[in-house]
Amino acid sequence: MDTEKFGHDNCRELPDYQRQSVNFASSQSESPTSESPSSASPGLSSFSLQIDEENVGGTSTGRPIGIKKAKGKKKTEEENAIVIEEIREQNRQLSERLTKRNDDKQQNYHIQMLRAQTEAKKVDVAAKKVAVAEIREENRILLTNLNDVADPNLREFIRSEKKESCKNDLMS
């Protein structure tokens, strides 16, 4: 048989799972099937050559090649997914902060505009108060009876103010 031809020493050096693979291959070669090509030479044992994707590397490890890679790839994908999710969360938080900051700036701008408008109204009101005070003073002077004023200097001042007021009224 095959083990006699190749010797038992090779099997002893191989691990158990490889020895099982060799025994499996030799048991298949002892009972050739119509699907596997066999050697027609007399005196030589029949040996089938079956090449699968799993057995391309020569020796079988008991599980299909690529499991370790698949697990590594899956682990890497999981780690990447975690990192991507963390980045998304950080981006979401950053976006929220930027949106809040923008809203705060717009609100601050709106408040400053309202303050400026309020100050402008205050200035306008103050100007109107000054104008009203001037009109009151002018009316007081215009309504003053010069015959009631005893002081000649004050009487002359009131008369000149009345003349000036009339000139201003005519010009405006």
Side-chain angles (χ1 to χ4, degrees):
M1 305 287 180
D2 287 336
T3 55
E4 293 172 1
K5 187 174 183 180
F6 295 110
H8 290 286
D9 293 337
N10 292 340
C11 290
R12 285 188 195 123
E13 294 172 5
L14 297 175
D16 287 338
Y17 62 88
Q18 287 181 342
R19 231 181 284 138
Q20 290 171 355
S21 173
V22 169
N23 289 340
F24 178 73
S26 65
S27 67
Q28 278 185 344
S29 65
E30 290 174 1
S31 59
T33 63
S34 61
E35 296 175 2
S36 64
S38 59
S39 174
S41 303
L44 293 177
S45 65
S46 62
F47 181 76
S48 66
L49 180 63
Q50 295 183 355
I51 299 177
D52 298 3
E53 289 180 18
E54 295 176 350
N55 217 1
V56 170
T59 60
S60 174
T61 59
R63 62 180 179 174
I65 294 177
I67 296 288
K68 187 173 183 179
K69 279 187 178 181
K71 283 184 178 181
K73 184 177 179 183
K74 183 177 179 183
K75 183 179 179 183
T76 303
E77 287 174 353
E78 288 172 355
E79 290 170 352
N80 289 345
I82 291 170
V83 170
I84 289 170
E85 189 58 36
E86 288 173 355
I87 290 171
R88 283 185 179 148
E89 178 63 22
Q90 291 171 354
N91 285 344
R92 186 190 59 77
Q93 290 174 355
L94 180 62
S95 177
E96 286 177 0
R97 282 186 269 163
L98 290 175
T99 302
K100 185 180 182 316
R101 181 185 231 176
N102 190 29
D103 292 344
D104 291 346
K105 282 184 176 184
Q106 286 179 345
Q107 187 176 13
N108 189 24
Y109 175 76
H110 183 69
I111 290 170
Q112 288 177 352
M113 292 304 293
L114 290 174
R115 283 182 182 161
Q117 289 173 354
T118 303
E119 287 298 318
K121 287 179 182 178
K122 285 181 181 178
V123 168
D124 189 43
V125 168
K128 287 180 181 179
K129 283 183 180 180
V130 169
V132 167
E134 287 176 356
I135 291 172
R136 280 187 185 160
E137 181 64 24
E138 191 176 303
N139 284 339
R140 189 184 63 79
I141 291 173
L142 289 173
L143 296 174
T144 304
N145 188 355
L146 292 177
N147 294 333
D148 293 341
V149 177
D151 184 16
N153 289 334
L154 184 58
R155 191 179 314 146
E156 188 57 36
F157 173 75
I158 292 174
R159 188 178 294 149
S160 67
E161 286 295 315
K162 281 184 178 186
K163 282 182 183 180
E164 190 68 32
S165 178
C166 288
K167 284 181 186 178
N168 288 342
D169 285 345
L170 291 174
M171 295 192 129
S172 55

